[in-house]
Amino acid sequence: MTIRAMKFTPQVLLSTPRRSAGVPSPDGKFVLYTVSTYDFDKHSKTTETKLLDTDVNFVDTLPDGEKASDFVWLSNHEFAFLQGEDEGATSLMICSRPEGTAELSTSYVVEKIEAPVANLKIASLGDDEFGIVFSAQSTKEGKLFNPEKAPKTHSSGKLYSTLFVRHWDEWTTPQRQSLWYAKLSAPKDSKRTLSKVQNALSGSGLSSPIEPFGGTDHFDVSQWGLIFVAKDPELNPALHTKSDVYYLPIDWEGKGSLKSPTRVRIEGFDGASTCPVFSPSGKKAAFLSMKKDGYEADRNVIFVMPDLHAVKPHAEAVLAGVEKTAVWDRSPSSIAWTADGQSLLVVAEEEGHANLFEIHQNKPHKLFTPGVVSDVKTLSSGRIFVSGSTLVDNSYYAFIDMAAASQSDSAPSIWSHSNTDSGVKLGLNSSQISSIWTPASNPKVNKEVHSWVFKPSDYDSSKTYPVAYLIHGGPQGAWNDAWSTRWNQAVFAEQGFIVVAPNVTGSTGYGQAFTDAINQNWGGDPYQDIVNVFDYVGKHIPQADNSRAVALGASYGGFMMNWIQGQPLGRNFKTMVCHDGIFSTANLLSTEELYFPLNDLGGYPWKTKKTEAVHPFTTASAWHKWDPSAHLSEWATPMLVIHNSKDYRLPISEGLAAFNVLQAKGIESQFLTFPDENHFVLKPENSLVWHKTVINWIRKHVGLEPFAEEEEGGVEFMGGLKVEEEGKDEGKETKET
């Protein structure tokens, strides 16, 4: 960014250049990354590949880097990457920067692969040769699948005879994700070549990475072979989260047939596994695994495989404790090895942040990292390169010196680089952010609840401001000190609101017991936590005008909007915004991952011998107890409802039902939908409409001028017949729903 924003608006948020995680060279001198920028005047996005020289902070732009991705350094001066081609093909490219020069050489094509390819990983095999692995879809026969060249059918019909007919925003197909491998040769006549690409999972019945969000965090490669995670093929993925770790030796010379993957068995751990990583020597490995099947937010336990070459390789738990008691009550989300292979580096949420920890000799030590760490890379020197963000900075890179960091929790980074000058270019600063701690509804699991408070940049303590309460989704999630282009607290604060974002019961990063406490408790303790936060703000923040309060939430936060509508707190808000929320718990039976409501609501909503054996049923079922549609008679607060057509997690009927009730009751309401979006609104033009519509709605109901004119919103406004509000039409029979 070269121009400082005068005011942080949704358009500034969405047009601010977005950096990928940085990929440093082994010595840390160069960092590769991509930058994508959306231009609302041209209605188009541009993507560039950048090379940052960390010695002088000079940034160079790679020519023809618009479709480049998945950068992997082969040496300090040579790197490989993937490049998208026409008709669904992908090229494996090589580019170098000759030592002693300031110019990049022209990249060249090593191999053109006739399919969409992603998630490139490379391991040194010695003698300047490398083993490469990437992911791509495969056909039933185990061959590469290119959807652009697949035969077209004359009918759009799809016939299913088992669960899991669709996932996230796509209908399931016979194709599956596979891992493919080949050997990259040493240069000959200045160019490298690639051996035949082979499907490592062919005939195994396994699929990896796990869709829809699995990537390089689901596999790793070494000179010895491949380690990866895959769903248990004997269990239906709609009912189970169980995934296992597999080790597959690879003969990179291709002289022998490929062996079958060996499953790593861990007694008592039947949940999801992720983040398998080889040590630098390739002789050890580590990964994360959960105990409980069907529970996505169970605590991740660290496992280490000390000897992959043993006759029977085994895994040992780290910091696990005994029974249900954990030595370290945090749940890591990612894992890596230090350069010497003696310690582990893990990222774990902690009280509104995602910190980097070193695990050495079975003891955790927190390293200094601001905000939320999103990616970690180890350099050959032993230094650590991290990518991350904060609530005011959309991207930072930093080097951490392990020797200094191991001596203190506050050891500063030895080099950093911010995309937005720590928010200054956006008109934001960290002084706008503070925290409050309020009494928890259930002191047995946590005595206090943490909330972020975000004030406008032009905040004047002599004035009062309307309050926007943001409720996060999950429900096992959290508002962290991280940047977001979907629910950005600064956007609402800069519209003249004091933003309060509570991490209520069920939130992650405050101990596993606090996370687990939301089970079968959706409208109980979390709701009371919000009431406590609301009361605290009204009593202790005089600048916060609770008489002009609004509430907004998405997913579980949307459920909470619908729940609050039927509860006393709902009458304290001027308006609410419900994005892709749950209207009726019964309709959760239409979700794709059925294990989610079965776990969170305590089993099936019916009783049979078969279901009782799998999920215990209670007469006081949470399915009925926490159903927002059971309290429709109390709904009275104006609400904006947003729901998207491709949301298969919570189908659009949920949003339509809520809007229909509001309209039938004569409650002021609007319905916004995007037929081409899923559970999120990701396309920049759609996101701008989302922001304009939401901000206009909440500003109107707290007495502020519109943020944008209706005709500027870029949304097709549909008129309709007005429904009289219940009880207002005297002399006529009141209509009820």
Side-chain angles (χ1 to χ4, degrees), residues 275-334:
C275 296
V277 286
F278 286 111
S279 65
S281 68
K283 296 180 180 179
K284 297 189 293 185
F287 59 90
L288 303 174
S289 191
M290 297 178 179
K291 280 190 174 184
K292 188 176 180 181
D293 185 15
Y295 186 26
E296 295 175 298
D298 197 10
R299 179 176 175 269
N300 266 320
V301 175
I302 304 168
F303 282 89
V304 170
M305 300 179 67
D307 185 4
L308 286 168
H309 300 286
V311 177
K312 292 184 178 180
H314 69 285
E316 301 172 355
V318 177
L319 298 172
V322 294
E323 298 180 353
K324 294 184 178 180
T325 303
V327 175
W328 184 52
D329 192 19
R330 291 293 177 260
S331 183
S333 58
S334 68

Side-chain angles (χ1 to χ4, degrees), residues 7-8 23 27 91 200 232 260 336 339 352 509 556 560 572 710 728:
K7 184 73 173 179
F8 187 64
V23 183
D27 60 3
S91 288
D232 189 323
S260 298
Y556 171 79
M560 188 53 74
N572 291 325
E710 291 288 348
K728 291 292 182 69

Side-chain angles (χ1 to χ4, degrees), residues 390-461:
T390 71
L391 282 166
V392 296
D393 186 2
N394 78 339
S395 171
Y396 74 80
Y397 301 147
F399 285 126
I400 299 173
D401 181 77
M402 285 296 295
S406 62
Q407 302 299 318
S408 170
D409 286 347
S410 59
S413 59
I414 58 176
W415 172 90
S416 63
H417 189 276
S418 168
N419 193 40
T420 65
D421 192 13
S422 299
V424 172
K425 292 179 180 179
L426 303 176
L428 304 174
N429 63 84
S430 59
S431 65
Q432 295 176 246
I433 307 164
S434 59
S435 293
I436 58 174
W437 292 84
T438 56
S441 176
N442 183 358
K444 292 181 180 180
V445 293
N446 257 19
K447 292 182 179 181
E448 292 182 304
V449 163
H450 169 242
S451 300
W452 292 106
V453 178
F454 206 121
K455 298 174 182 177
S457 56
D458 57 358
Y459 177 75
D460 184 341
S461 61

Side-chain angles (χ1 to χ4, degrees), residues 7-10 456 466 490-497 695 698-699 704-707:
K7 184 73 173 179
F8 187 64
T9 65
V491 160
F492 297 104
E494 293 303 277
Q495 289 301 313
F497 290 84
I695 291 171
I698 61 175
R699 283 178 64 92
L704 298 177
E705 293 295 318
F707 164 69

Side-chain angles (χ1 to χ4, degrees), residues 356-551:
L356 179 63
F357 295 84
E358 179 190 15
I359 311 296
H360 182 63
Q361 295 181 346
N362 217 34
K363 295 180 180 179
H365 175 74
K366 183 167 67 175
L367 307 178
F368 174 80
T369 46
V372 165
V373 173
S374 58
D375 192 70
V376 179
K377 297 285 192 297
T378 303
L379 307 184
S380 55
S381 63
R383 289 185 297 167
I384 307 299
F385 179 87
V386 297
S387 302
S389 70
T390 71
L391 282 166
V392 296
D393 186 2
N394 78 339
S395 171
Y396 74 80
Y397 301 147
F399 285 126
I400 299 173
D401 181 77
M402 285 296 295
S406 62
Q407 302 299 318
S408 170
D409 286 347
S410 59
S413 59
I414 58 176
W415 172 90
S416 63
H417 189 276
S418 168
N419 193 40
T420 65
D421 192 13
S422 299
V424 172
K425 292 179 180 179
L426 303 176
L428 304 174
N429 63 84
S430 59
S431 65
Q432 295 176 246
I433 307 164
S434 59
S435 293
I436 58 174
W437 292 84
T438 56
S441 176
N442 183 358
K444 292 181 180 180
V445 293
N446 257 19
K447 292 182 179 181
E448 292 182 304
V449 163
H450 169 242
S451 300
W452 292 106
V453 178
F454 206 121
K455 298 174 182 177
S457 56
D458 57 358
Y459 177 75
D460 184 341
S461 61
S462 67
K463 298 180 180 179
T464 60
Y465 299 84
V467 189
Y469 291 87
L470 305 185
I471 311 303
H472 67 68
Q476 297 89 357
W479 294 120
N480 288 323
D481 184 11
W483 189 261
S484 172
T485 54
R486 293 186 291 112
W487 285 91
N488 189 293
Q489 296 176 33
V491 160
F492 297 104
E494 293 303 277
Q495 289 301 313
F497 290 84
I498 290 178
V499 176
V500 179
N503 284 324
V504 299
T505 298
S507 298
T508 50
Y510 300 86
Q512 193 61 40
F514 191 66
T515 302
D516 296 343
I518 199 171
N519 186 267
Q520 302 181 57
N521 189 23
W522 276 16
D525 289 332
Y527 169 76
Q528 188 58 48
D529 288 339
I530 297 169
V531 172
N532 293 347
V533 172
F534 185 89
D535 291 344
Y536 178 94
V537 169
K539 293 176 182 178
H540 295 90
I541 306 180
Q543 297 81 10
D545 185 358
N546 256 357
S547 68
R548 292 190 297 154
V550 301

